[in-house]
Amino acid sequence: KQVYDLWAKTADTTVTRTKVTASLLIPGQVDVLLAGPSGPAGPSAVTNVDAYIQIRLPLTTTAVVSAAVATPVTVSGTVYIATGQLAQATIDINTNLNALFGGGTNSVGEVLPGIDIAGVVYLTQIIEQIMVTNGARNVVLSAPVADVTLGANNVATLTVSLTYTGV
């Protein structure tokens, strides 16, 4: 599985997450799902990765390469921020949530791996990435209201719809 992950990320730099599984229906087939930092991999990434993998496969193996399926996750609610830090906190919260979902470094320097294809979007991690922001005092989320478990072929895509209130 690791070799397919390496091949996918080598073939196209927009691919940051993969899920590699042996087909349950076809012996010798490997299914490779692709995602980038903001959601499913684009068509050109799928084409690039497929071409790269196909010429490297052992004779007894086949591979089906495809983009993961988007599962929209909207983070909405009200964030209470110390008044003098409202502008920077707004930027930092967006940075933090994007790092949580797609992988990257948040505003306090923590490197986050991103939410795996077929993973779980944990509500506590969303709250943590909001509250780690300098000046954040409280958050009341209206969505999501619980953890979001992704389907077997799905990747979370983030929409931020937060209201920021100075306190």
Side-chain angles (χ1 to χ4, degrees), residues 4 15-17 23 29 36 38 48-50 52 58 60 82 96-97 100 104 106 109 119 129-130 132 142 157-158 165:
Y4 293 98
V15 174
T16 57
R17 294 173 283 172
S23 172
Q29 179 174 298
S38 61
N48 293 341
V49 171
D50 186 52
Y52 193 89
T60 58
N96 295 353
L97 291 173
L100 173 64
N106 70 7
Q129 290 307 312
I130 293 170
V132 75
S142 55
T157 57
L158 173 66
T165 301

Side-chain angles (χ1 to χ4, degrees), residues 136-150:
R137 298 293 180 250
N138 195 16
V139 60
V140 178
L141 292 180
S142 55
V145 295
D147 297 342
V148 178
T149 302
L150 302 173

Side-chain angles (χ1 to χ4, degrees), residues 93-163:
I93 288 169
N94 281 304
T95 297
N96 295 353
L97 291 173
N98 280 305
L100 173 64
F101 276 70
T105 304
N106 70 7
S107 65
V108 295
E110 181 183 14
V111 178
L112 304 174
I115 297 167
D116 290 332
I117 297 170
V120 178
V121 181
Y122 291 105
L123 181 60
T124 56
Q125 289 180 330
I126 293 171
I127 294 168
E128 176 187 19
Q129 290 307 312
I130 293 170
M131 293 305 297
V132 75
T133 303
N134 194 23
R137 298 293 180 250
N138 195 16
V139 60
V140 178
L141 292 180
S142 55
V145 295
D147 297 342
V148 178
T149 302
L150 302 173
N153 299 329
N154 295 68
V155 64
T157 57
L158 173 66
T159 300
V160 178
S161 180
L162 293 169
T163 301

Side-chain angles (χ1 to χ4, degrees), residues 26 29-33 50 53-54 57 62-66:
I26 302 171
Q29 179 174 298
V30 176
D31 297 324
V32 183
L33 291 170
D50 186 52
I53 287 175
Q54 295 303 331
L57 287 174
T62 59
V64 175
V65 178
S66 58

Side-chain angles (χ1 to χ4, degrees), residues 62-78:
T62 59
V64 175
V65 178
S66 58
V69 178
T71 295
V73 177
T74 299
V75 176
S76 62
T78 303

